[in-house]
Amino acid sequence: MKKILTIAASILTLGLIFTSCTKKETQTSGSSPITVEIWHTYNGTQEICLNQMADDFNASQSKYQVKIMAQDYKGFADTVYNAVANKIGPSIIFNYGSTAVDYINQGLAVDIRKYIKEDAKKGDNSMNDIIESLPDAMKTEVYGFADGGIYYLPGCTTGPVFFYNKTIFDELGLSAPKTWEELENISKIIYEKKGIAAFHADGLVDILQTLIMQNDLGYIDIKNKKITFANDKMVEIYKWYADMCAKGYFEFNTIGQYSSDDLSNGDIAIFSGSCVNDQYIQLADGELGIAPLPRAIGNKSFYTGWNRGPIFLMQSEEVNRGAYEFIKFFLKPENNSKWAQMNSALSPYGTTQKEESYKNYINNIPEGKALPCVQANLDISGSFPNVTGSAAVRRYLEEYLNNVVDGQISAEEAVKKLEIDCNNALAGK
């Protein structure tokens, strides 16, 4: 995300100045409600739901007025950053926790812990209860910023699953793999019997992170700004994956444009990818199967959940408080249930999972959908610290495996270089 304002952003700023000044004058007039802006790129049912949520919140009290403002998807990140830097942007955007890091580093994000503490002094523990109802592994994303602050909260959860050609599996007497060893054995059989690479990882870095966590290697030492997984086991992981590709069991790159295309066309028999793929896969020959990813290696379980939700961005103190109040309303069980349903997703919050409309939604997901396979691993769903350099760590993980698969360097060399580059990124170098 650019930290230097571009000319285009300056023009945008000028275009917004009048609105901003008018807003601030209105807010200091005494009786008018304090305006809280939410910028988004949603459409369809998601946009309708968000607008309705704002209307309901506005009708529930008179101190704050939430305005939902749709934006162009193209250039959204830079538009928001430049606007917030000029103190005329939104109070809330919806994105992944990693997006908050640049704002935090520049003092442009809001730590809501103080509002949670103020509520607690008044006897209101609702927000704390909501956050504490998250799975323990998932709290890393909420509390995993460098200073321990809470700048972001999940809104709903999706994640990766296995998609496979059930017809091929049935023909060969195979079942969907429940362990990584089973995936290897199945891939060998399919390659030998059908002459195709069995498996492709759509979102390779997520598979690598899962293997790291299930091997109990840790991830990032936040205090010392170092990765913890640059060891012999990481070398083994790289060697194993590269060996599977060399033998033809795994396909490293897609043949068509997408993994779903390769599965549909019969070029592969199984891939791991986002649960939303169940809307798009149409097999040319065969029946589609869907299964959960392996939960554990030995006794160590972990699943990578993808959690998009509100990020709190700096405005005036009274506006910041208003943004917090809206999200507290947004995460009430009955409201968070609606949001999960409109996103065809799950709620990670135990508070929402007890809500009757959410239970009904989960119990009536149509047959053949991928969400139940995400739900099967939701109890062990986790995420990773959102600190400076964490995005680079993801990039280097995949980049160095690519080098090993291509035969450019050995797995040992790759892990040594991986450690240096990751640690430099975490140190801000």
Side-chain angles (χ1 to χ4, degrees):
M1 191 175 294
K2 298 177 181 177
K3 296 181 176 65
I4 300 176
L5 305 186
T6 61
I7 293 175
S10 297
I11 294 173
L12 167 69
T13 297
L14 291 173
L16 293 172
I17 287 292
F18 180 77
T19 302
S20 177
C21 291
T22 302
K23 178 174 67 177
K24 289 178 180 177
E25 289 169 5
T26 300
Q27 290 170 0
T28 56
S29 62
S31 59
S32 298
I34 298 163
T35 300
V36 176
E37 292 184 8
I38 299 176
W39 291 10
H40 72 94
T41 59
Y42 291 116
N43 52 41
T45 57
Q46 296 163 326
E47 183 176 23
I48 292 171
C49 182
L50 190 57
N51 279 315
Q52 185 61 57
M53 207 88 71
D55 290 343
D56 292 345
F57 174 75
N58 293 339
S60 72
Q61 47 76 51
S62 58
K63 186 172 182 178
Y64 305 105
Q65 185 77 14
V66 171
K67 291 186 176 181
I68 308 297
M69 304 178 70
Q71 307 290 325
D72 289 337
Y73 180 81
K74 185 177 181 180
F76 179 71
D78 283 344
T79 298
V80 171
Y81 187 87
N82 291 326
V84 173
N86 281 277
K87 302 187 184 304
I88 55 173
S91 296
I92 296 168
I93 60 171
F94 284 75
N95 215 312
Y96 299 101
S98 56
T99 303
V101 175
D102 281 337
Y103 292 98
I104 296 169
N105 290 343
Q106 298 301 315
L108 299 175
V110 179
D111 182 355
I112 64 169
R113 287 181 298 178
K114 64 178 179 179
Y115 303 129
I116 296 173
K117 291 177 181 177
E118 289 172 5
D119 280 356
K121 289 181 180 179
K122 300 174 186 176
D124 178 4
N125 291 302
S126 57
M127 184 64 103
N128 185 65
D129 291 343
I130 288 169
I131 296 172
E132 286 303 308
S133 76
L134 288 167
D136 287 340
M138 197 180 292
K139 291 176 186 176
T140 302
E141 192 166 44
V142 173
Y143 296 115
F145 296 100
D147 63 355
I150 301 176
Y151 300 91
Y152 145 92
L153 290 170
C156 57
T157 297
T158 58
V161 300
F162 280 145
F163 295 95
Y164 64 99
N165 188 317
K166 187 175 184 299
T167 301
I168 290 178
F169 274 61
D170 289 347
E171 176 190 335
L172 300 178
L174 303 173
S175 300
K178 295 181 179 180
T179 68
W180 301 108
E181 291 80 5
E182 287 182 10
L183 175 63
E184 177 180 342
N185 294 333
I186 286 169
S187 298
K188 180 178 184 293
I189 292 170
I190 290 174
Y191 177 76
E192 292 176 347
K193 299 293 185 180
K194 307 298 289 187
I196 59 174
F199 175 70
H200 174 74
D202 183 8
L204 177 60
V205 68
D206 296 299
I207 296 300
L208 290 173
Q209 287 178 317
T210 299
L211 290 170
I212 287 169
M213 298 302 291
Q214 289 185 358
N215 276 285
D216 202 17
L217 305 185
Y219 193 67
I220 294 175
D221 179 345
I222 298 175
K223 181 178 180 180
N224 295 306
K225 299 181 180 180
K226 294 182 178 180
I227 59 172
T228 63
F229 53 81
N231 52 33
D232 291 342
K233 178 55 72 172
M234 191 69 218
V235 173
E236 287 181 24
I237 292 171
Y238 269 10
K239 281 183 175 179
W240 174 74
Y241 207 97
D243 185 50
M244 294 299 99
C245 293
K247 290 178 177 178
Y249 303 164
F250 290 3
E251 180 62 60
F252 193 78
N253 299 304
T254 57
I255 296 170
Q257 188 173 3
Y258 302 108
S259 302
S260 54
D261 292 339
D262 289 356
L263 182 65
S264 296
N265 295 333
D267 295 318
I268 57 175
I270 181 171
F271 80 91
S272 62
S274 171
C275 58
V276 301
N277 278 290
D278 61 11
Q279 305 172 56
Y280 309 112
I281 300 173
Q282 296 291 331
L283 296 189
D285 182 21
E287 178 186 354
L288 177 65
I290 307 174
L293 291 189
R295 286 176 58 90
I297 295 176
N299 295 322
K300 183 62 178 179
S301 55
F302 183 86
Y303 175 73
T304 300
W306 299 332
N307 308 297
R308 195 179 188 203
I311 297 173
F312 299 90
L313 303 176
M314 185 68 70
Q315 296 297 325
S316 69
E317 175 61 25
E318 56 186 4
V319 174
N320 295 343
R321 178 77 201 208
Y324 166 79
E325 291 294 338
F326 173 74
I327 295 304
K328 186 164 65 171
F329 178 86
F330 175 84
L331 291 179
K332 283 184 175 181
E334 62 272 23
N335 294 331
N336 187 236
S337 173
K338 293 175 185 176
W339 185 244
Q341 293 178 56
M342 290 304 101
N343 282 271
S344 298
L346 301 173
S347 171
Y349 297 100
T351 46
T352 300
Q353 292 164 15
K354 298 175 183 177
E355 209 271 330
E356 286 304 317
S357 68
Y358 185 80
K359 290 180 182 178
N360 185 61
Y361 161 63
I362 292 301
N363 292 333
N364 290 283
I365 294 174
E367 187 177 350
K369 290 295 184 180
L371 269 183
C373 296
V374 178
Q375 188 183 25
N377 285 331
L378 193 61
D379 62 314
I380 56 168
S381 178
S383 44
F384 301 91
N386 294 307
V387 295
T388 298
S390 57
V393 171
R394 284 176 55 88
R395 185 175 71 253
Y396 288 132
L397 269 169
E398 186 168 343
E399 178 182 317
Y400 279 112
L401 177 56
N402 189 16
N403 292 339
V404 176
V405 171
D406 285 347
Q408 297 179 30
I409 56 177
S410 68
E412 290 83 358
E413 291 172 316
V415 171
K416 287 179 182 178
K417 291 179 179 292
L418 175 70
E419 181 175 26
I420 293 170
D421 285 345
C422 287
N423 289 346
N424 282 340
L426 292 169
K429 296 180 181 178

